[in-house]
Amino acid sequence: MTKTTLLATAAFALAATAATANDPDLLVFDWSGYEEEGFFINYAEKHGSGPTYAFFGEEEEAFQKLRSGFKADVAHPCSQSVDKWYQAGLIEPWDISKIPTYATLADLYKNDPTFVRDGEVYFIPADLGMTGLAYLADDVPAEDIASLQVFVDPKYAGRTSLPDNVDDAYALAYLATGTADWTSATQEQFEAASAWLRQAHANARAYWADGAELAQLMATGEVQIAWSWNETPVQMQADGYNVGFQREAAEGSSSWFCGYVNLVDGPGSEEKAHDFIESFLSAETADYIVNEWGYGHSNTAAMGAFGTELLTEVGLNDISAPQLAQLPMDNALREQMIQEFERIKAGF
């Protein structure tokens, strides 16, 4: 190994290990925010504390850190990254006999060949949410958020924000250019989405990496319109801000789901890794994630207990508009998306 490689590996490890330290036998590589106690209530009751967490900002960053030698036990990618991580040899199967609540998941999750291969489960869906148009309702009239073209409207130049996340950004761009199913997207549709995203980039004040960062941008009035996870409007409304969440723009909105993978050669306890997943799939976690974050949960039995009024309030209701589901897509096209997104953010 060269000196350059050693330095790069050390830098990746240092960045990834900015973590919360609790149970030393389980390291969870996750999105910031998921270290909150509501996500591991039953695990903490059993083991005396929550896991130790290390964080990533987006999935390509997480992938590169793991490829560069960073070690953790469990990680939290979203559905469209699973095949790439599997092909890279980063993940191994779960022992479903140790995760009884897996039985509550919908069949569409348990039968998907991207997640279940030769009877072995490589990905356990855990949380789900929506990406839509968040806006300051006191400043933005309703007619302006009737279309996603507001992101390229000169009226809002310097007042919009986009996610620093390739999948959410391209979900917006595909919808805005008339494609609501990216699993069958053509090269021509990809190029149209990329051209539109360049226009939206030119209008954007900032890219946000997590919900807290976006909330700060909107709370100051610096950003009036954002392509946002439903977490941000839910939490800002709870804090007294008049923030709307538009999922029924003419071109639609997007849905996503993420989950947990069992990382190869994890340094901690396999038993505790399985205990953690069983805890995350619990009704207690479902109650927390819906009420406090506005996200959905893969435990269908637990989700069935929530009323329509609450689900509508947090933005999980059915809508009368197109909805681009962020499902696994062609790997070659997604790699193009990743490369082009970096070029767009750099101004090219």
Side-chain angles (χ1 to χ4, degrees):
M1 183 179 288
T2 67
K3 181 178 179 181
T4 301
T5 305
L6 279 167
L7 288 171
T9 301
F12 274 129
L14 182 62
T17 51
T20 62
N22 286 300
D23 189 336
D25 296 327
L26 185 66
L27 179 57
V28 179
F29 195 26
D30 216 324
W31 305 87
S32 177
Y34 282 85
E35 76 281 8
E36 292 186 8
E37 293 180 4
F39 290 113
F40 51 79
I41 295 169
N42 295 342
Y43 181 93
E45 288 181 356
K46 181 173 182 177
H47 296 291
S49 70
T52 294
Y53 283 84
F55 305 113
F56 56 85
E58 54 91 26
E59 290 160 89
E60 185 63 14
E61 172 198 344
F63 177 78
Q64 295 299 338
K65 287 177 180 177
L66 291 167
R67 284 286 300 271
S68 298
F70 176 68
K71 293 295 183 184
D73 301 299
V74 174
H76 192 177
C78 297
S79 63
Q80 57 275 17
S81 293
V82 176
D83 186 59
K84 180 176 180 177
W85 290 34
Y86 172 84
Q87 298 296 341
L90 295 178
I91 60 179
E92 61 187 13
W94 291 103
D95 182 348
I96 296 304
S97 70
K98 297 178 180 178
I99 310 173
T101 307
Y102 179 78
T104 66
L105 270 62
D107 287 342
L108 67 92
Y109 296 137
K110 294 186 283 190
N111 297 331
D112 192 303
T114 303
F115 311 146
V116 182
R117 300 168 186 261
D118 299 322
E120 300 277 17
V121 176
Y122 285 86
F123 175 74
I124 298 182
D127 53 329
L128 57 100
M130 306 297 168
T131 309
L133 204 163
Y135 61 99
L136 299 183
D138 293 332
D139 301 315
V140 180
E143 59 268 23
D144 286 2
I145 47 92
S147 169
L148 298 181
Q149 303 310 320
V150 69
F151 285 99
V152 296
D153 186 341
K155 175 180 176 180
Y156 291 100
R159 293 293 186 183
T160 68
S161 184
L162 300 172
D164 193 3
N165 177 298
V166 63
D167 298 299
D168 281 311
Y170 264 95
L172 169 63
Y174 273 121
L175 284 165
T177 52
T179 297
D181 180 4
W182 70 13
T183 65
S184 57
T186 65
Q187 185 67 27
E188 182 180 11
Q189 289 170 322
F190 163 72
E191 290 171 1
S194 298
W196 186 92
L197 193 55
R198 279 189 170 81
Q199 296 179 56
H201 164 83
N203 233 28
R205 169 67 174 169
Y207 286 84
W208 58 267
D210 57 52
E213 182 181 1
L214 175 57
Q216 184 176 5
L217 288 168
M218 297 190 76
T220 63
E222 186 176 354
V223 164
Q224 296 179 327
I225 293 172
W227 188 238
S228 167
W229 300 328
N230 48 321
E231 163 200 349
T232 300
V234 167
Q235 296 189 349
M236 291 191 72
Q237 289 164 11
D239 290 336
Y241 293 96
N242 189 13
V243 176
F245 190 52
Q246 165 69 297
R247 293 177 55 216
E248 295 185 292
E251 302 89 344
S253 57
S254 183
S255 64
W256 50 262
F257 64 93
C258 306
Y260 286 95
V261 292
N262 190 9
L263 295 172
V264 170
D265 297 328
S269 165
E270 276 288 307
E271 290 297 320
K272 288 185 175 183
H274 287 76
D275 286 347
F276 171 77
I277 299 303
E278 176 63 15
S279 176
F280 199 103
L281 294 182
S282 70
E284 290 84 355
T285 297
D287 184 73
Y288 175 76
I289 198 171
V290 171
N291 282 287
E292 298 299 325
W293 285 57
Y295 289 163
H297 193 274
S298 62
N299 183 327
T300 54
M303 288 299 296
F306 298 110
T308 302
E309 183 178 351
L310 173 60
L311 296 179
T312 300
E313 182 181 327
V314 299
L316 294 174
N317 56 301
D318 294 332
I319 61 171
S320 298
Q323 184 165 286
L324 186 151
Q326 295 184 30
L327 296 169
M329 65 188 305
D330 179 74
N331 272 342
L333 185 57
R334 187 161 186 270
E335 287 302 308
Q336 278 188 278
M337 284 167 46
I338 291 169
Q339 293 171 18
E340 196 67 6
F341 187 48
E342 291 305 315
R343 285 176 52 82
I344 291 169
K345 288 190 297 179
F348 294 105

